[in-house]
Structure formats: C-alpha cells, structure tokens
Amino acid sequence: MTMVNLSLTEAYSLALQVLRGNGFSEEHATVVARNVTNGERDGCASHGLWRLLGIVDTLRKGKVSPDALPVVTDNAPAIVKADAGGAFSLLAFEQALPLLIEKTRHCGIAALAINRCVHFSALFADIEPLTDAGLVGYACTPSHAWVAPAGGTRPLFGTNPIAFGWPRGERPPFIFDMATSAAARGEIQLHLRAGKPIPEGWGIDSDGQPSTDPQAVLDGAMLTFGGHKGSAFAAMVELLAGPLIGDMTSAESLAWDNGAGGLPYGGELILAFDPTRFLGQEAHVHLARAETLFDAMQSQGARLPGERRFEARAKAEQEGVVITRTLYDDICALR
C-alpha cells in the first residue's frame, strides 16, 4: 500500500484548504482543521484527517452550518450554555471554555452544555484543555442511533463516548476517551475502507446475528462494550447530554438526519472540577496520592490511558504523519 508522509504543518494546511474551499468560515475551518490534524498527530486515525470526508459530506448535504457563530450564556453560578447554532461543536467549546474555567475556579465544580451542535471529534480534545488548566474533566455526547441496547437487536443508542481527565502537573495528563459501544463507528468504517473484517463482538447484522462483516454491521447494529454494563453507560450518556441539557437523544438525532447520512446532531455535556477548591492547602498531598496510584499501575506493566497518544504525538512532531495514498487522494479531491 502506497503511503504519503505529511508534516503537521502540511496536514493542517491541507485540511484548512479543503474546509475553506468548501465554504466553511475562517473561524470554523481553523478549529476543525486543527482538530483533525491533532487527531492524526496523536495516532487516532478514526478521528484524524479521514474525518474530512464526512465533514465535507455533511456540509454538502446541508446538515451543518459552515459559519454560525456560537452564543455563550452565563446560565447559573456553575453552568455555562453554548448554542452552536447548528455548526460543529468545536468553536462553541473554544469560546465557552474561558467562562467554564472561571466558574470552576470560583465554585469548585461547573458544567458546560453545548446545544444544537454537530459532533464528530474525539472527546479528549475537550478534556485536555481542562487538565492543562489543572482541572479534572468529564465529557459525554450521544450520536446517531447505531447501537443496540444489551438484549436488543435494533439500534437505539449512539456510540455515546465518555472521556475523563486528571491533571498531573508537568507530566502528561491521565485521559481516557472511549465509546460505550464495543468500538468507535469510525473504526468499523476504516475496516470497511481497508477491506478487513472486524473483530467478533463489535456488532450484529440486520437479522440480529453476530457478524464480522463491517458493512453488515453498519447496516445492522453495533453492540455496547461489556454487555449490560456498557448499555447502562450508553443510556446514562443519552440522559445527561440529551434531556438534561434540552437536546436530542441518538434516536432523535438519526430521525432529524432523515436518511441524509450526515454526522450526529445534538448536545454535549462537559463537567470540570477544581482540586484546589475541594482540597484547599492539602491539595498537593492528595494529588501526590494519585501519583502513587499511577505508579502502582505502571509498576505492574500496565499502560496509563493516553500514553500511546502522547508517544504518537512526540513522534509526529518530529516525523510528521503517514496516511494512505488513497486517503490523501480522496482528501485532495474535496478541494
């Protein structure tokens, strides 16, 4: 397979050119290009440059605004709301972030609800700015109804990712970002693109039978991780980032899409916690205890979540990123 090596600057410039060429405003094109470049940089191909195909397709189908400016509202002492106006979530998050951090430092805990947004990005991108600020973070969002609940055979939940981050001072933060489905939908789509079967347990076909055929699963239903446990987490995300913030569930998002095949539309909930407000002068003592936990994990040979991502980042900053020639050509064709 022929590969193409791009520096991070080249990858970002390519993404920006594609987005601006298709009508995204400078503000949206900048944050989206940065996001997909960073996903590729961090070894997260399912949320990297490949996402440009779905981003442009969603725009061409009229399912995302290319230029709506977010409206950020100071809703309560510990609540920020950001109305994305039907655009991607990234600009709304960026503009609401300073107020979220300010409220978290004041109250010790604060929430950001992003409404009416189209969402495609990995959630670690929304968590890392919080850990960079010394805060603990949590984020979740529904998607389209692609995932069957445990015991069911028809799509109801989204892939419904959840992410958590813990600041570690000068060390890379502890961040996990995972779908509540057995795999991210993008991983199945990448298997389909590569002509490879998916692992058992990722999904079922339209008859409710287990399948390793990526197309059959995309036409049928994905499965949650851990059976009923993952199913309960998925339902939690539906509620927290749906009715709680006045936004759509995954089934409602899919109905809104009405067969267009656009990216998910709805809301995202982000929570932030300030250890210094919880702990006061004892904060450093208890944060050191957290490091003892991390050291104990690694001493057994366990990897901390996010380690591979930060290793990939360091490598990409020196060597750039590598994508297939086919993907590169497909992206260039969007210009």
Side-chain angles (χ1 to χ4, degrees):
M1 184 179 296
T2 306
M3 309 300 288
V4 176
N5 181 259
L6 300 169
S7 70
L8 293 181
T9 299
E10 290 170 334
Y12 173 78
S13 296
L14 175 62
L16 187 65
Q17 184 180 21
V18 165
L19 294 163
R20 292 293 286 128
N22 279 275
F24 283 99
S25 68
E26 186 69 29
E27 295 93 337
H28 282 287
T30 298
V31 294
V32 172
R34 185 189 310 130
N35 182 273
V36 297
T37 301
N38 289 350
E40 198 71 47
R41 174 201 67 187
D42 288 2
C44 185
S46 63
H47 289 82
L49 295 173
W50 170 79
R51 283 282 172 176
L52 289 167
L53 307 182
I55 289 165
V56 171
D57 184 60
T58 299
L59 177 66
R60 292 177 177 177
K61 289 173 175 174
K63 290 298 182 178
V64 65
S65 170
D67 55 9
L69 294 177
V71 177
V72 178
T73 305
D74 187 341
N75 218 53
I79 298 176
V80 184
K81 296 199 78 173
D83 184 341
F88 286 122
S89 64
L90 300 172
L91 187 62
F93 171 77
E94 184 175 273
Q95 294 192 1
L97 180 62
L99 184 56
L100 174 64
I101 292 174
E102 177 186 329
K103 285 180 175 289
T104 305
R105 297 213 191 283
H106 180 73
C107 298
I109 180 171
L112 166 61
I114 304 177
N115 291 109
R116 296 202 305 147
C117 68
V118 181
H119 207 285
F120 71 88
S121 64
L123 289 180
F124 66 77
D126 296 343
I127 293 295
E128 195 167 335
L130 297 177
T131 57
D132 286 347
L135 305 176
V136 176
Y138 168 85
C140 65
T141 184
S143 57
H144 281 332
W146 292 317
V147 181
T153 58
R154 296 188 302 277
L156 177 63
F157 300 146
T159 53
N160 293 12
I162 58 176
F164 172 83
W166 182 275
R168 301 185 65 202
E170 296 302 315
R171 301 187 190 186
F174 175 96
I175 297 178
F176 73 75
D177 177 0
M178 66 180 193
T180 54
S181 53
R185 191 167 181 85
E187 291 292 342
I188 297 177
Q189 293 168 320
L190 287 174
H191 276 73
L192 177 64
R193 186 179 179 87
K196 300 191 300 183
I198 60 174
E200 294 181 1
W202 280 19
I204 53 179
D205 63 22
S206 56
D207 295 321
Q209 298 303 308
S211 177
T212 59
D213 180 343
Q215 188 62 63
V217 169
L218 292 173
D219 293 338
M222 299 168 65
L223 297 176
T224 59
F225 80 87
H228 68 279
K229 296 181 180 180
S231 188
F233 271 103
M236 176 191 72
V237 172
E238 295 284 342
L239 297 171
L240 286 177
L244 179 66
I245 65 170
D247 225 308
M248 293 188 182
T249 64
S250 297
E252 291 167 340
S253 173
L254 191 62
W256 177 87
D257 184 71
N258 196 29
L263 291 163
Y265 179 75
E268 178 183 359
L269 178 66
I270 300 166
L271 304 178
F273 310 81
D274 186 354
T276 61
R277 292 291 281 169
F278 276 87
L279 299 167
Q281 294 183 350
E282 297 298 312
H284 69 285
V285 175
H286 298 290
L287 292 176
R289 292 173 56 232
E291 291 303 316
T292 300
L293 173 66
F294 298 142
D295 290 344
M297 294 169 65
Q298 292 176 307
S299 70
Q300 297 186 34
R303 277 183 174 268
L304 297 183
E307 274 192 82
R308 286 191 178 93
R309 188 164 66 249
F310 288 109
E311 289 170 1
R313 179 180 303 184
K315 181 178 179 182
E317 287 171 348
Q318 297 296 319
E319 303 176 10
V321 296
V322 178
I323 61 174
T324 66
R325 167 61 66 175
T326 300
L327 175 58
Y328 178 76
D329 290 343
D330 287 346
I331 293 172
C332 289
L334 296 174
R335 294 186 288 189

mmCIF file of all heavy atoms in Angstrom, residues 234-265:
data_model
loop_
_atom_site.group_PDB
_atom_site.id
_atom_site.type_symbol
_atom_site.label_atom_id
_atom_site.label_comp_id
_atom_site.label_asym_id
_atom_site.label_seq_id
_atom_site.Cartn_x
_atom_site.Cartn_y
_atom_site.Cartn_z
ATOM 1 N N ALA A 234 -24.266 3.753 28.185
ATOM 2 C CA ALA A 234 -24.800 4.413 27.000
ATOM 3 C C ALA A 234 -26.104 5.133 27.315
ATOM 4 O O ALA A 234 -26.339 6.255 26.854
ATOM 5 C CB ALA A 234 -25.012 3.386 25.884
ATOM 6 N N ALA A 235 -26.966 4.489 28.110
ATOM 7 C CA ALA A 235 -28.228 5.123 28.499
ATOM 8 C C ALA A 235 -27.961 6.369 29.347
ATOM 9 O O ALA A 235 -28.655 7.392 29.217
ATOM 10 C CB ALA A 235 -29.101 4.129 29.254
ATOM 11 N N MET A 236 -26.957 6.301 30.223
ATOM 12 C CA MET A 236 -26.595 7.455 31.040
ATOM 13 C C MET A 236 -26.212 8.642 30.162
ATOM 14 O O MET A 236 -26.648 9.784 30.405
ATOM 15 C CB MET A 236 -25.429 7.099 31.971
ATOM 16 C CG MET A 236 -24.911 8.271 32.805
ATOM 17 S SD MET A 236 -23.343 7.926 33.651
ATOM 18 C CE MET A 236 -22.192 7.920 32.267
ATOM 19 N N VAL A 237 -25.408 8.392 29.122
ATOM 20 C CA VAL A 237 -24.993 9.468 28.223
ATOM 21 C C VAL A 237 -26.197 10.057 27.502
ATOM 22 O O VAL A 237 -26.303 11.280 27.344
ATOM 23 C CB VAL A 237 -23.944 8.952 27.211
ATOM 24 C CG1 VAL A 237 -23.650 10.004 26.144
ATOM 25 C CG2 VAL A 237 -22.662 8.561 27.934
ATOM 26 N N GLU A 238 -27.112 9.191 27.059
ATOM 27 C CA GLU A 238 -28.330 9.685 26.408
ATOM 28 C C GLU A 238 -29.039 10.697 27.297
ATOM 29 O O GLU A 238 -29.515 11.740 26.832
ATOM 30 C CB GLU A 238 -29.280 8.520 26.104
ATOM 31 C CG GLU A 238 -28.773 7.507 25.110
ATOM 32 C CD GLU A 238 -28.824 7.989 23.672
ATOM 33 O OE1 GLU A 238 -29.558 8.958 23.375
ATOM 34 O OE2 GLU A 238 -28.120 7.404 22.834
ATOM 35 N N LEU A 239 -29.123 10.393 28.593
ATOM 36 C CA LEU A 239 -29.871 11.238 29.526
ATOM 37 C C LEU A 239 -29.107 12.505 29.891
ATOM 38 O O LEU A 239 -29.663 13.607 29.898
ATOM 39 C CB LEU A 239 -30.203 10.437 30.789
ATOM 40 C CG LEU A 239 -31.106 9.223 30.577
ATOM 41 C CD1 LEU A 239 -31.171 8.391 31.853
ATOM 42 C CD2 LEU A 239 -32.506 9.630 30.139
ATOM 43 N N LEU A 240 -27.806 12.371 30.188
ATOM 44 C CA LEU A 240 -27.018 13.517 30.626
ATOM 45 C C LEU A 240 -26.838 14.556 29.519
ATOM 46 O O LEU A 240 -26.925 15.762 29.773
ATOM 47 C CB LEU A 240 -25.641 13.067 31.116
ATOM 48 C CG LEU A 240 -25.570 12.366 32.475
ATOM 49 C CD1 LEU A 240 -24.138 11.920 32.756
ATOM 50 C CD2 LEU A 240 -26.067 13.271 33.594
ATOM 51 N N ALA A 241 -26.555 14.088 28.317
ATOM 52 C CA ALA A 241 -26.283 15.012 27.218
ATOM 53 C C ALA A 241 -27.471 15.129 26.268
ATOM 54 O O ALA A 241 -27.335 15.681 25.173
ATOM 55 C CB ALA A 241 -25.033 14.579 26.460
ATOM 56 N N GLY A 242 -28.625 14.619 26.704
ATOM 57 C CA GLY A 242 -29.852 14.747 25.932
ATOM 58 C C GLY A 242 -30.886 15.537 26.719
ATOM 59 O O GLY A 242 -30.822 16.766 26.796
ATOM 60 N N PRO A 243 -31.845 14.854 27.359
ATOM 61 C CA PRO A 243 -32.897 15.565 28.092
ATOM 62 C C PRO A 243 -32.390 16.519 29.175
ATOM 63 O O PRO A 243 -32.972 17.585 29.365
ATOM 64 C CB PRO A 243 -33.714 14.413 28.704
ATOM 65 C CG PRO A 243 -33.531 13.283 27.769
ATOM 66 C CD PRO A 243 -32.115 13.404 27.284
ATOM 67 N N LEU A 244 -31.317 16.172 29.885
ATOM 68 C CA LEU A 244 -30.841 17.041 30.958
ATOM 69 C C LEU A 244 -30.474 18.427 30.453
ATOM 70 O O LEU A 244 -30.695 19.429 31.130
ATOM 71 C CB LEU A 244 -29.646 16.415 31.676
ATOM 72 C CG LEU A 244 -29.053 17.263 32.813
ATOM 73 C CD1 LEU A 244 -30.054 17.412 33.958
ATOM 74 C CD2 LEU A 244 -27.747 16.676 33.319
ATOM 75 N N ILE A 245 -29.909 18.508 29.259
ATOM 76 C CA ILE A 245 -29.495 19.812 28.726
ATOM 77 C C ILE A 245 -30.437 20.293 27.626
ATOM 78 O O ILE A 245 -30.137 21.261 26.916
ATOM 79 C CB ILE A 245 -28.032 19.784 28.235
ATOM 80 C CG1 ILE A 245 -27.857 18.844 27.035
ATOM 81 C CG2 ILE A 245 -27.087 19.404 29.357
ATOM 82 C CD1 ILE A 245 -26.483 18.965 26.375
ATOM 83 N N GLY A 246 -31.569 19.621 27.473
ATOM 84 C CA GLY A 246 -32.556 20.061 26.498
ATOM 85 C C GLY A 246 -32.173 19.784 25.067
ATOM 86 O O GLY A 246 -32.506 20.559 24.163
ATOM 87 N N ASP A 247 -31.484 18.654 24.843
ATOM 88 C CA ASP A 247 -31.058 18.341 23.488
ATOM 89 C C ASP A 247 -31.485 16.928 23.091
ATOM 90 O O ASP A 247 -32.186 16.246 23.825
ATOM 91 C CB ASP A 247 -29.552 18.524 23.330
ATOM 92 C CG ASP A 247 -29.215 19.274 22.050
ATOM 93 O OD1 ASP A 247 -29.698 18.847 20.969
ATOM 94 O OD2 ASP A 247 -28.488 20.271 22.108
ATOM 95 N N MET A 248 -31.056 16.488 21.931
ATOM 96 C CA MET A 248 -31.562 15.263 21.326
ATOM 97 C C MET A 248 -30.930 14.002 21.896
ATOM 98 O O MET A 248 -29.766 13.995 22.292
ATOM 99 C CB MET A 248 -31.317 15.282 19.815
ATOM 100 C CG MET A 248 -32.107 16.315 19.060
ATOM 101 S SD MET A 248 -31.913 16.072 17.272
ATOM 102 C CE MET A 248 -32.877 17.445 16.646
ATOM 103 N N THR A 249 -31.706 12.932 21.880
ATOM 104 C CA THR A 249 -31.157 11.602 22.074
ATOM 105 C C THR A 249 -30.614 11.121 20.727
ATOM 106 O O THR A 249 -30.829 11.751 19.684
ATOM 107 C CB THR A 249 -32.238 10.622 22.560
ATOM 108 O OG1 THR A 249 -33.242 10.497 21.534
ATOM 109 C CG2 THR A 249 -32.883 11.100 23.855
ATOM 110 N N SER A 250 -29.936 9.997 20.740
ATOM 111 C CA SER A 250 -29.373 9.466 19.499
ATOM 112 C C SER A 250 -30.463 9.085 18.505
ATOM 113 O O SER A 250 -30.307 9.288 17.295
ATOM 114 C CB SER A 250 -28.494 8.253 19.806
ATOM 115 O OG SER A 250 -27.393 8.620 20.602
ATOM 116 N N ALA A 251 -31.566 8.537 18.990
ATOM 117 C CA ALA A 251 -32.673 8.188 18.090
ATOM 118 C C ALA A 251 -33.272 9.443 17.465
ATOM 119 O O ALA A 251 -33.618 9.453 16.276
ATOM 120 C CB ALA A 251 -33.742 7.410 18.860
ATOM 121 N N GLU A 252 -33.389 10.510 18.252
ATOM 122 C CA GLU A 252 -33.919 11.769 17.720
ATOM 123 C C GLU A 252 -32.954 12.389 16.713
ATOM 124 O O GLU A 252 -33.379 12.976 15.711
ATOM 125 C CB GLU A 252 -34.193 12.734 18.872
ATOM 126 C CG GLU A 252 -35.369 12.293 19.751
ATOM 127 C CD GLU A 252 -35.459 13.050 21.061
ATOM 128 O OE1 GLU A 252 -34.440 13.639 21.499
ATOM 129 O OE2 GLU A 252 -36.544 13.050 21.659
ATOM 130 N N SER A 253 -31.653 12.259 16.969
ATOM 131 C CA SER A 253 -30.649 12.766 16.038
ATOM 132 C C SER A 253 -30.745 12.053 14.698
ATOM 133 O O SER A 253 -30.690 12.685 13.631
ATOM 134 C CB SER A 253 -29.251 12.591 16.632
ATOM 135 O OG SER A 253 -28.240 12.930 15.693
ATOM 136 N N LEU A 254 -30.899 10.736 14.726
ATOM 137 C CA LEU A 254 -30.993 9.968 13.484
ATOM 138 C C LEU A 254 -32.271 10.320 12.733
ATOM 139 O O LEU A 254 -32.269 10.422 11.498
ATOM 140 C CB LEU A 254 -30.942 8.474 13.793
ATOM 141 C CG LEU A 254 -30.777 7.557 12.570
ATOM 142 C CD1 LEU A 254 -29.460 7.844 11.847
ATOM 143 C CD2 LEU A 254 -30.841 6.090 12.986
ATOM 144 N N ALA A 255 -33.361 10.521 13.471
ATOM 145 C CA ALA A 255 -34.619 10.913 12.825
ATOM 146 C C ALA A 255 -34.474 12.300 12.179
ATOM 147 O O ALA A 255 -34.976 12.539 11.071
ATOM 148 C CB ALA A 255 -35.753 10.917 13.846
ATOM 149 N N TRP A 256 -33.780 13.213 12.875
ATOM 150 C CA TRP A 256 -33.541 14.546 12.325
ATOM 151 C C TRP A 256 -32.725 14.472 11.039
ATOM 152 O O TRP A 256 -32.964 15.217 10.082
ATOM 153 C CB TRP A 256 -32.813 15.404 13.363
ATOM 154 C CG TRP A 256 -32.445 16.777 12.894
ATOM 155 C CD1 TRP A 256 -33.212 17.906 12.936
ATOM 156 C CD2 TRP A 256 -31.208 17.168 12.292
ATOM 157 N NE1 TRP A 256 -32.532 18.965 12.399
ATOM 158 C CE2 TRP A 256 -31.300 18.546 11.999
ATOM 159 C CE3 TRP A 256 -30.031 16.488 11.980
ATOM 160 C CZ2 TRP A 256 -30.259 19.251 11.410
ATOM 161 C CZ3 TRP A 256 -28.990 17.189 11.388
ATOM 162 C CH2 TRP A 256 -29.103 18.549 11.108
ATOM 163 N N ASP A 257 -31.769 13.559 10.992
ATOM 164 C CA ASP A 257 -30.930 13.393 9.806
ATOM 165 C C ASP A 257 -31.768 12.960 8.599
ATOM 166 O O ASP A 257 -31.457 13.311 7.463
ATOM 167 C CB ASP A 257 -29.844 12.354 10.096
ATOM 168 C CG ASP A 257 -28.864 12.193 8.949
ATOM 169 O OD1 ASP A 257 -28.073 13.116 8.721
ATOM 170 O OD2 ASP A 257 -28.911 11.143 8.276
ATOM 171 N N ASN A 258 -32.807 12.171 8.867
ATOM 172 C CA ASN A 258 -33.779 11.785 7.831
ATOM 173 C C ASN A 258 -33.132 11.113 6.623
ATOM 174 O O ASN A 258 -33.477 11.382 5.469
ATOM 175 C CB ASN A 258 -34.581 13.009 7.377
ATOM 176 C CG ASN A 258 -35.850 12.637 6.621
ATOM 177 O OD1 ASN A 258 -36.435 11.570 6.860
ATOM 178 N ND2 ASN A 258 -36.281 13.498 5.723
ATOM 179 N N GLY A 259 -32.161 10.239 6.917
ATOM 180 C CA GLY A 259 -31.540 9.449 5.862
ATOM 181 C C GLY A 259 -30.459 10.152 5.067
ATOM 182 O O GLY A 259 -29.917 9.576 4.114
ATOM 183 N N ALA A 260 -30.110 11.386 5.423
ATOM 184 C CA ALA A 260 -29.093 12.123 4.659
ATOM 185 C C ALA A 260 -27.705 11.527 4.831
ATOM 186 O O ALA A 260 -26.853 11.644 3.945
ATOM 187 C CB ALA A 260 -29.081 13.593 5.083
ATOM 188 N N GLY A 261 -27.453 10.903 5.977
ATOM 189 C CA GLY A 261 -26.135 10.336 6.230
ATOM 190 C C GLY A 261 -25.139 11.334 6.767
ATOM 191 O O GLY A 261 -23.926 11.140 6.654
ATOM 192 N N GLY A 262 -25.647 12.423 7.389
ATOM 193 C CA GLY A 262 -24.761 13.419 7.977
ATOM 194 C C GLY A 262 -24.244 12.981 9.326
ATOM 195 O O GLY A 262 -24.650 11.950 9.871
ATOM 196 N N LEU A 263 -23.339 13.770 9.882
ATOM 197 C CA LEU A 263 -22.780 13.492 11.196
ATOM 198 C C LEU A 263 -23.808 13.793 12.286
ATOM 199 O O LEU A 263 -24.757 14.552 12.059
ATOM 200 C CB LEU A 263 -21.511 14.323 11.409
ATOM 201 C CG LEU A 263 -20.319 13.907 10.532
ATOM 202 C CD1 LEU A 263 -19.268 15.007 10.488
ATOM 203 C CD2 LEU A 263 -19.716 12.604 11.040
ATOM 204 N N PRO A 264 -23.660 13.221 13.490
ATOM 205 C CA PRO A 264 -24.667 13.371 14.556
ATOM 206 C C PRO A 264 -24.904 14.820 14.973
ATOM 207 O O PRO A 264 -23.984 15.639 15.008
ATOM 208 C CB PRO A 264 -24.065 12.552 15.698
ATOM 209 C CG PRO A 264 -23.200 11.544 15.039
ATOM 210 C CD PRO A 264 -22.611 12.258 13.860
ATOM 211 N N TYR A 265 -26.158 15.091 15.321
ATOM 212 C CA TYR A 265 -26.590 16.424 15.721
ATOM 213 C C TYR A 265 -27.228 16.336 17.098
ATOM 214 O O TYR A 265 -28.059 15.460 17.343
ATOM 215 C CB TYR A 265 -27.612 16.945 14.706
ATOM 216 C CG TYR A 265 -28.172 18.320 15.016
ATOM 217 C CD1 TYR A 265 -27.404 19.461 14.814
ATOM 218 C CD2 TYR A 265 -29.472 18.466 15.481
ATOM 219 C CE1 TYR A 265 -27.910 20.730 15.069
ATOM 220 C CE2 TYR A 265 -29.996 19.731 15.735
ATOM 221 C CZ TYR A 265 -29.220 20.852 15.526
ATOM 222 O OH TYR A 265 -29.724 22.097 15.785
#
